Amino acid sequence: MRSANISAVGKSWLGALLGLLIVTQPLVAMAVQFKPPQRGIPGRREGGGTRDASACVQGNIRLTALLPETNLGLTTAEYPRFFWVMPKTRAKLVEFSLFETDENLNDRTLVYKTSFAINGNPGVASLTLPGRAMLPPLTVGRDYRWSVALVCNPENRQRDVKVDGWVQRIAPDASLNSQLAKANSTDRVRLYANNGIWFDTLTSLADLRCTRPKDTTLAKSWSELMRSVKLGAIAEQPFAQQCSK
């Protein structure tokens, strides 16, 4: 009987020791490697030089639209959330625009435009299309062009520093819908990334970072995602905006 008690105590200590070892192991970042669809559209995801861009933008970080190299991001959302990296800038105003395009990818209809003041600090910024009666949801299968402009000189808009890219809303198939319905929040990020659904990948991971701001594994996962689409130069940029309530 005493031998059995010693054995039980030993197993208890062994279990506690293993639990302690597991807890003290360094956390591993959630692997997020984005797999973009084959289709690409010409665009400009990094802000280039205008005549006075050097006076408007400071430092090595450039205005950058968070998009794959294809310049096209897919979404399942009616009103997606767009992300970009703000440089350190003397500009006081940013303008966001969304256009519906024709079959030749020329701007046809201005869907939404807004401008807002900025503080000039660098970091990841975002904007969600407002879901309201005057703004219909994105049409499935239609290409839209979106742009972000730093208004460097309000008196001369030719001097804006600007980036632009594309968004298309898709309808996921029944298999993916079933997987998403069963997935937890971290698995959902991977599902979106593996299926090439860019904006939903970004939004899901950004939401996780907002709910767990001190979780360094999520910050590493964001950096890994940026590097997977060759945006390593801005992979470590902080989030410039507060999380929505």
Side-chain angles (χ1 to χ4, degrees):
M1 181 66 69
R2 183 179 179 185
S3 175
N5 288 340
I6 292 174
S7 177
V9 170
K11 289 179 180 179
S12 177
W13 274 101
L14 179 60
L17 178 60
L18 288 174
L20 180 62
L21 288 173
I22 291 172
V23 170
T24 55
Q25 287 297 310
L27 295 174
V28 178
M30 173 177 60
V32 184
Q33 291 286 331
F34 184 74
K35 298 178 181 178
Q38 295 299 312
R39 184 184 178 219
I41 305 179
R44 187 185 194 122
R45 66 175 184 171
E46 292 188 2
T50 63
R51 282 180 291 176
D52 61 348
S54 60
C56 182
V57 176
Q58 303 168 294
N60 297 323
I61 300 300
R62 305 168 81 178
L63 178 66
T64 306
L66 297 192
L67 282 167
E69 289 183 284
T70 58
N71 296 306
L72 171 65
L74 303 181
T75 183
T76 66
E78 295 182 340
Y79 301 94
R81 183 177 173 188
F82 299 85
F83 293 81
W84 63 92
V85 166
M86 293 286 296
K88 184 173 178 59
T89 178
R90 291 193 176 96
K92 303 299 182 185
L93 196 68
V94 162
E95 182 178 85
F96 174 92
S97 303
L98 179 72
F99 293 88
E100 181 184 319
T101 61
D102 60 24
E103 60 276 7
N104 296 316
L105 299 179
N106 296 314
D107 294 347
R108 179 170 61 186
T109 306
L110 176 65
V111 175
Y112 182 68
K113 179 181 283 191
T114 187
S115 58
F116 48 92
I118 55 175
N119 60 17
N121 294 329
V124 178
S126 67
L127 177 144
T128 302
L129 287 184
R132 59 192 185 206
M134 62 179 293
L135 186 62
L138 298 190
T139 301
V140 171
R142 181 169 293 169
D143 293 321
Y144 295 81
R145 187 179 71 84
W146 65 283
S147 68
V148 175
L150 284 178
V151 183
C152 295
N153 183 347
E155 304 300 322
N156 185 354
R157 296 299 304 277
Q158 296 298 317
R159 297 189 175 184
D160 288 0
V161 176
K162 190 174 181 180
V163 292
D164 69 334
W166 299 83
V167 58
Q168 183 189 110
R169 182 182 167 205
I170 63 167
D173 60 30
S175 175
L176 179 56
N177 271 330
S178 176
Q179 293 177 69
L180 288 169
K182 299 173 184 176
N184 60 33
S185 55
T186 55
D187 288 339
R188 196 170 293 117
V189 174
R190 292 193 191 94
L191 280 170
Y192 285 132
N194 290 337
N195 286 275
I197 307 175
W198 175 252
F199 288 101
D200 300 48
T201 304
L202 279 185
T203 300
S204 298
L205 187 49
D207 287 345
L208 278 175
R209 291 191 68 184
C210 279
T211 58
R212 289 146 53 185
K214 295 183 179 180
D215 190 334
T216 58
T217 64
L218 292 176
K220 290 177 181 176
S221 296
W222 179 274
S223 298
E224 181 180 325
L225 176 61
M226 294 297 103
R227 292 188 176 92
S228 75
V229 294
K230 298 187 178 179
L231 288 175
I234 50 88
E236 309 298 330
Q237 286 297 301
F239 278 61
Q241 296 168 307
Q242 293 185 345
C243 298
S244 57
K245 301 296 184 183

